[in-house]
Amino acid sequence: MKAEPDMASASESEIAGKLVAVALDGATLGRASADVDHERQIAIYDLVEDNRFTLPDYPAGAYRLHLAIRENRLVFDVRDEQDAPLILHALSLTPLRKIVRDYFLICDSYYAAIRTATPSQIETIDMGRRGVHDDGSHLLMQRLAGKILVDFETARRLFTLVCALHWKG
């Protein structure tokens, strides 16, 4: 099922760039368990493998993204392909906290249901899980609007990574 267009979304022709690398700042994100680190690496791989990412005021190209958390902000340090800094965009985590928390709660319900629920109950919970994930993706697109342009599928992958950054394992 295709997501409906969002007012914050840009046309495909406006999003001609691509992320070629994503790095996490270990100093600000802290140490993670092996499971959490594995989930973060999977989220990064999926994001780099398929994305549409552009800075509106820069020529489209290949970008490197360095993510950090500083003072309750998710910092997008976007660089060119040679790793020269282009922009630093700090995004408050406060608007994302509730939706990330809701996403974790519904994921817990989904994993518990897999063990005991009927297929129709599992499907219902999974639809809710995907809906919350979509809501988080739309919120992330809105929060990045004007600074960083991404398509909906890239916003979904970024939201997955944001969740992986918050997962305690």
Side-chain angles (χ1 to χ4, degrees), residues 8-21:
S9 63
S11 71
E12 285 193 20
S13 62
E14 291 178 286
I15 311 175
K18 179 174 174 53
L19 287 172
V20 294

Side-chain angles (χ1 to χ4, degrees), residues 1-162:
M1 180 167 72
K2 275 291 213 193
E4 292 183 28
D6 184 86
M7 291 190 333
S9 63
S11 71
E12 285 193 20
S13 62
E14 291 178 286
I15 311 175
K18 179 174 174 53
L19 287 172
V20 294
V22 176
L24 303 178
D25 179 15
T28 64
L29 295 173
R31 295 185 52 165
S33 70
D35 287 340
V36 171
D37 187 55
H38 180 71
E39 289 300 318
R40 290 176 179 178
Q41 293 308 314
I42 289 171
I44 290 170
Y45 176 83
D46 289 345
L47 179 58
V48 171
E49 195 65 22
D50 186 17
N51 70 82
R52 297 177 62 80
F53 184 101
T54 293
L55 302 178
D57 298 328
Y58 293 86
Y63 301 102
R64 294 176 170 275
L65 175 62
H66 296 257
L67 287 175
I69 295 180
R70 295 187 194 118
E71 299 174 5
N72 197 33
R73 297 188 183 284
L74 180 62
V75 178
F76 288 75
D77 179 359
V78 184
R79 299 164 180 234
D80 67 16
E81 198 165 15
Q82 289 74 42
D83 214 31
L86 296 174
I87 69 160
L88 197 66
H89 180 58
L91 184 72
S92 174
L93 288 169
T94 303
L96 291 169
R97 286 204 193 285
K98 181 181 181 327
I99 203 148
V100 168
R101 185 175 48 248
D102 291 349
Y103 182 69
F104 284 146
L105 287 172
I106 201 160
C107 284
D108 289 344
S109 297
Y110 174 76
Y111 294 126
I114 288 174
R115 292 188 283 275
T116 60
T118 66
S120 64
Q121 290 170 321
I122 295 169
E123 183 178 341
T124 300
I125 293 169
D126 189 45
M127 287 173 56
R129 182 178 63 89
R130 285 180 286 170
V132 172
H133 195 279
D134 287 351
D135 291 346
S137 304
H138 283 293
L139 179 59
L140 192 54
M141 285 177 80
Q142 290 169 353
R143 305 284 297 140
L144 292 172
K147 302 288 185 190
I148 298 171
L149 300 177
V150 296
D151 67 343
F152 182 68
E153 291 304 316
T154 301
R156 283 184 58 80
R157 291 179 186 94
L158 274 171
F159 183 73
T160 299
L161 181 55
V162 168

